[in-house]
Amino acid sequence: MGFTKAETAQFDTRGYLVKAGLLSEAALRPLILALGDIVEEGALRLHGEGKLSSPYAGEGFETRLAHIYKESEEAGEAVLAMIMGRGGGQFNGEAMLELLRNADLVDCVSDLIGPDIVGASAYRIRPKLPGHTRTEVPWHQDSGYFLPHCDRHLIVTCWIPLVDTTVENGCLHVIPGVHKDGVFRHYTGGHGGYLEIPGEELPENRPVPLEMKRGDVLFMTNLTPHASFVNHSGIVRWSIDLRYQSMDAPNNSEEDPETYTPERDPVTMACYPSEADFVIRDSNHPEREVTTPEAFRELRDRYHDAKPYNPGRGWTRLKDRKPS
Ligand SMILES: O=C(O)CCC(=O)C(=O)O
């Protein structure tokens, strides 16, 4: 499928594009089922331990975790932790690799960054629970998390709702047309422990809330400011965000995590050294592509266990910010 010329032009001028109905129910179902299984496992365990009055087995993907959290915040947090380990990238299963390699998705990415594509382990599954303030994500650009020598490279984030998202349930908001203005100043220790661009330091362009249907995909640049706010609905706002870059942009797909040490020159490092990159498409050497769940899991776990050094960007702490 890919993008039309008009869509590519919109991505270029606004820094984002929503492609409606790109992913079929069949493409999303394996991941939804796998996440539902994690919730089920947690619910049954907590019920068995007497921490929940019911496993809420009659509830579906959109509501089960919300009911668990409503009855017991502690139980809800315990299930969240099963999903949000590794910052939200805990789930390593086959359904995850399948979605990362989804041809319709990757064809669109390829129209933005070319045919040879590396995917990032820094994908995030986000169950935003009703009334749960910690899962609000403050304004930031993804480049705030990447090393500075990568600011000139396009790293595409694909934000994929797993339920229909609305302003009420905490859809994503973006600031359009400022992705060519570089990286704004971020601060560490922002809301929820995330990096944050404080309101007074945001560009003046008006933010746009992106209400999306399940099946739609938002494509945005690493320099597009975005945020999400509290979920005021009764359902869980499930989403996942994936990241892709050209093989020509710095990455660690064929590097040993042990080579990431404080002695190494940061400009030789991958854009986000903490987690493994892996080949999604290689037009000359398709054998380099990570295609099996075993290889995917092994690579991600190897990086996770090695804890490669990431020099970061040295942002100031929010509480040390000087009023401007
Ligand atoms: O899903 C959200 O609420 C935030 C997503 C986000 O920050 C991202 O995709 O980088």
Side-chain angles (χ1 to χ4, degrees):
M1 198 193 258
F3 285 140
T4 62
K5 276 211 174 91
E7 286 171 331
T8 314
Q10 191 199 313
F11 181 86
D12 187 54
T13 44
R14 295 192 197 163
Y16 75 92
L17 175 89
V18 175
K19 182 92 171 162
L22 180 66
L23 295 173
S24 64
E25 282 292 316
L28 294 172
R29 195 172 306 120
L31 182 62
I32 289 173
L33 289 177
L35 295 175
D37 285 349
I38 299 174
V39 176
E40 160 114 335
E41 185 193 325
L44 292 177
R45 179 171 50 78
L46 290 158
H47 178 56
E49 290 168 1
K51 294 181 179 150
L52 278 177
S53 64
S54 159
Y56 296 99
E59 298 296 330
F61 179 63
E62 298 191 351
T63 52
R64 191 170 187 176
L65 187 48
H67 278 274
I68 293 171
Y69 184 68
K70 193 169 173 196
E71 176 183 330
S72 157
E73 290 190 7
E74 194 190 329
E77 290 290 350
V79 180
L80 265 192
M82 293 168 73
I83 297 157
M84 297 200 71
R86 299 194 195 180
Q90 173 90 24
F91 178 65
N92 262 345
E94 183 166 11
M96 194 59 239
L97 182 62
E98 247 179 63
L99 185 61
L100 278 157
R101 292 183 52 79
N102 177 281
D104 294 323
L105 190 66
V106 179
D107 283 349
C108 289
V109 172
S110 168
D111 283 346
L112 301 173
I113 58 176
D116 297 319
I117 300 173
V118 161
S121 284
Y123 55 75
R124 304 294 182 237
I125 297 168
R126 302 183 201 254
K128 191 193 272 288
L129 301 177
H132 189 263
T133 52
R134 192 167 48 79
T135 44
E136 279 187 278
V137 179
W139 287 106
H140 68 285
Q141 297 159 298
D142 283 356
S143 275
Y145 288 93
F146 304 149
L147 295 183
H149 65 289
C150 293
D151 293 352
R152 65 196 169 84
H153 294 281
L154 174 58
I155 300 173
V156 178
T157 294
C158 298
W159 191 88
I160 303 173
L162 301 176
V163 299
D164 293 352
T165 62
T166 59
V167 170
E168 188 194 13
N169 72 18
C171 69
L172 206 72
H173 295 236
V174 297
I175 300 183
V178 296
H179 58 294
K180 294 185 182 165
D181 297 348
V183 179
F184 297 98
R185 198 178 306 125
H186 289 64
Y187 294 85
T188 60
H191 175 85
Y194 293 106
L195 286 182
E196 178 165 349
I197 311 172
E200 311 84 85
E201 298 192 28
L202 280 172
E204 281 174 7
N205 293 21
R206 188 191 291 267
V208 177
L210 299 174
E211 297 200 320
M212 294 167 64
K213 298 275 178 220
R214 175 153 86 190
D216 299 349
V217 178
L218 162 68
F219 294 82
M220 66 180 160
T221 80
N222 39 313
L223 295 174
T224 305
H226 56 284
S228 75
F229 307 106
V230 161
N231 175 358
H232 295 288
S233 77
I235 69 160
V236 182
R237 193 228 65 181
W238 286 95
S239 68
I240 177 157
D241 33 276
L242 314 177
R243 290 172 183 80
Y244 301 90
Q245 63 186 75
S246 159
M247 207 175 272
D248 296 335
N251 68 84
N252 60 22
S253 66
E254 304 229 303
E255 287 187 315
D256 186 343
E258 314 289 347
T259 63
Y260 279 78
T261 61
E263 291 71 44
R264 180 165 166 178
D265 184 350
V267 299
T268 68
M269 293 184 179
C271 298
Y272 191 65
S274 310
E275 297 186 44
D277 298 317
F278 42 88
V279 177
I280 293 279
R281 274 192 192 164
D282 186 331
S283 48
N284 292 317
H285 298 284
E287 71 283 358
R288 291 177 61 212
E289 296 176 9
V290 173
T291 55
T292 66
E294 295 75 25
F296 178 58
R297 189 171 305 126
E298 190 277 326
L299 179 64
R300 293 191 81 240
D301 287 348
R302 186 154 56 83
Y303 255 82
H304 181 72
D305 296 344
K307 301 198 177 11
Y309 174 70
N310 180 349
R313 293 185 75 118
W315 297 121
T316 304
R317 284 180 305 180
L318 194 54
K319 62 183 173 90
D320 297 332
R321 175 175 170 250
K322 309 238 179 335
S324 47

